[in-house]
Amino acid sequence: MTDASIHASSVREDEASFGDYFALLKPRVMSLVVFTALVGLLAAPISVHPVIGFTAILFIAIGGGASGALNMWWDADIDRVMKRTKGRPIPAGKISEGEAKVFGLALSGLSVIMLALATNVFAGAFLAFTIFFYVVVYTMWLKRSTPQNIVIGGAAGAFPPVIGWIAATGTMAIEPWLMFALTFMWTPPHFWALALFMRSDYDDAGVPMLTVTHGRRTTRRHILAYTVLLALLAVATAFSGVGGPLYLAVALVLNAMFLMGAWKIFRRTEADSEADNFKVERSFFKLSLLYLFLHFGAILAETLLKPYGLGGW
């Protein structure tokens, strides 16, 4: 094999694939964006044509993915340091920072314009605000400047059901903001649980997560406090326009489990956690992944049952 052929082979191996660009969109986060936006759209009192609904969710998803790409562009330096993120396309050398930036900006513009054209200008404008909030307010400002980063910045991930609702109705209402609040209050305990057993990553990257700035003991107290507030909100949502007996049953069971997990985390010492490699914290984090999907799934079920006189109160 000649030197030229060896060089050509190495170039092909280093070239970005479709999968690398897709990874820039943070598909796991995008799945949550898609699902909660879909629930917001379907729970709205005004039904939309299936084609319009599909188009709306598609461009909301693209907007969420664009935010992820711009987040990876800005955070490339710390992604190279953290074990959890060093395999992402930019740290892995598959995609350059400049390419990720252009890709994210292009998708942002496309998603906002197309959502506005497919549904209404209000929905497009709200998607634009959401992208701005996630990229500028959270990624560029809050993430590296305050331990409240995930509390305030969590609003960005909570906007999709509101966008879905606006795409269907063109107006605001209390129900989508209850769905927003559910996601907003869920975000801190979800990420703080992760930070408890991934603290070294945030230490190494210099990210002022609560575990770094105030320690794990304080973080455990915060997880419990936010979980109590979250449980009250989640159960109260059962008696709103998007709730019902099925949702109430799901909320009671899930929040009892979540409160129990938060209480166990609160009572644990660092010696306990180190001894079993943060088994309880990891279990709580895994439950948190199901928590939001099951709550929104229950809202969706109530919505789909309403035409048959079975959903809602």
Side-chain angles (χ1 to χ4, degrees), residues 119-200:
T119 59
N120 56 76
V121 174
F122 190 15
F126 209 92
L127 177 60
F129 171 75
T130 301
I131 295 171
F132 171 83
F133 192 95
Y134 183 74
V135 176
V136 178
V137 177
Y138 169 65
T139 303
M140 295 183 177
W141 175 35
L142 295 173
K143 186 172 183 177
R144 307 193 195 201
S145 62
T146 171
Q148 294 299 308
N149 47 19
I150 207 64
V151 177
I152 306 169
F159 284 132
V162 181
I163 302 173
W165 184 285
I166 294 173
T169 67
T171 61
M172 291 286 196
I174 186 63
E175 289 82 3
W177 288 108
L178 285 173
M179 289 185 272
F180 166 89
L182 193 62
T183 308
F184 181 76
M185 292 301 296
W186 162 87
T187 302
H190 166 73
F191 277 101
W192 284 333
L194 173 68
L196 283 173
F197 58 85
M198 296 291 290
R199 175 180 167 173
S200 60

Side-chain angles (χ1 to χ4, degrees), residues 1 18 22 31 69 90 101 104 111 149 156 200 213 274 277:
M1 183 179 287
F18 172 81
F22 185 66
S31 66
I90 298 176
K101 178 182 178 181
S111 62
N149 47 19
S200 60
T213 61
E274 295 288 350
N277 193 27

Side-chain angles (χ1 to χ4, degrees), residues 40-59:
L41 184 141
L42 294 178
I46 299 176
S47 60
V48 298
H49 190 281
V51 174
I52 295 177
F54 173 80
T55 303
I57 297 303
L58 173 63
F59 288 110

Side-chain angles (χ1 to χ4, degrees), residues 12-128:
R12 283 194 298 271
E13 290 176 0
D14 291 338
E15 285 179 349
S17 65
F18 172 81
D20 294 321
Y21 279 100
F22 185 66
L24 270 183
L25 305 181
K26 293 191 173 182
R28 289 185 181 180
V29 176
M30 190 194 296
S31 66
L32 179 63
V33 168
V34 168
F35 186 55
T36 56
L38 177 64
V39 173
L41 184 141
L42 294 178
I46 299 176
S47 60
V48 298
H49 190 281
V51 174
I52 295 177
F54 173 80
T55 303
I57 297 303
L58 173 63
F59 288 110
I60 292 172
I62 291 174
S67 299
L70 291 171
N71 171 270
M72 287 197 195
W73 154 64
W74 186 263
D75 279 349
D77 58 332
I78 62 176
D79 281 351
R80 293 186 180 98
V81 176
M82 298 174 69
K83 294 177 183 177
R84 187 170 60 89
T85 57
K86 63 172 53 177
R88 287 175 173 175
I90 298 176
K94 297 293 185 179
I95 297 173
S96 71
E97 294 176 31
E99 289 170 334
K101 178 182 178 181
V102 171
F103 185 61
L105 289 174
L107 290 184
S108 296
L110 173 69
S111 62
V112 168
I113 293 171
M114 293 305 297
L115 182 63
L117 292 175
T119 59
N120 56 76
V121 174
F122 190 15
F126 209 92
L127 177 60

